[in-house]
Amino acid sequence: MLTLHLAEIDNTRGMGDNKKKIESYVDVFPNIQDRIGLLPSLHVFTTNDSRKRKFEEWMKQQNLRGEVKTFDEVK
């Protein structure tokens, strides 16, 4: 199955807002797969390791496919 890669850039939002955003992807991912036949994968880019760990935790809890990188990891 083909994959649709979605990018989320985090550099100024509060973590409460970010958690809500991750939760919203739970609703969107099945719709993407059903409507266009692509398996969604979320790639989050953030500012530091602490925020990275939170995103990874939330994505794991929600069973969202993807990965999280800090900006330093992609330089």
Side-chain angles (χ1 to χ4, degrees):
M1 178 173 276
L2 294 174
T3 303
L4 174 67
H5 298 276
L6 303 169
E8 180 72 43
I9 310 301
D10 165 58
N11 62 359
T12 59
R13 281 186 175 260
M15 291 308 282
D17 287 341
N18 286 328
K19 185 174 184 182
K20 288 178 187 174
K21 236 189 216 186
I22 293 299
E23 291 168 349
S24 72
Y25 282 110
V26 173
D27 297 329
V28 172
F29 272 30
N31 291 333
I32 290 171
Q33 192 167 357
D34 291 344
R35 294 186 91 197
I36 61 176
L38 297 175
L39 185 62
S41 181
L42 179 61
H43 301 272
V44 178
F45 301 93
T46 190
T47 57
N48 60 54
D49 288 331
S50 174
R51 292 172 80 91
K52 176 183 176 177
R53 284 189 295 276
K54 279 291 190 191
F55 276 108
E56 289 172 333
E57 176 185 329
W58 295 332
M59 288 172 65
K60 185 176 181 178
Q61 288 172 351
Q62 300 294 337
N63 199 30
L64 290 177
R65 180 183 163 145
E67 67 178 331
V68 184
K69 298 279 187 186
T70 64
F71 297 137
D72 287 339
E73 291 177 306
V74 293
K75 284 184 180 179

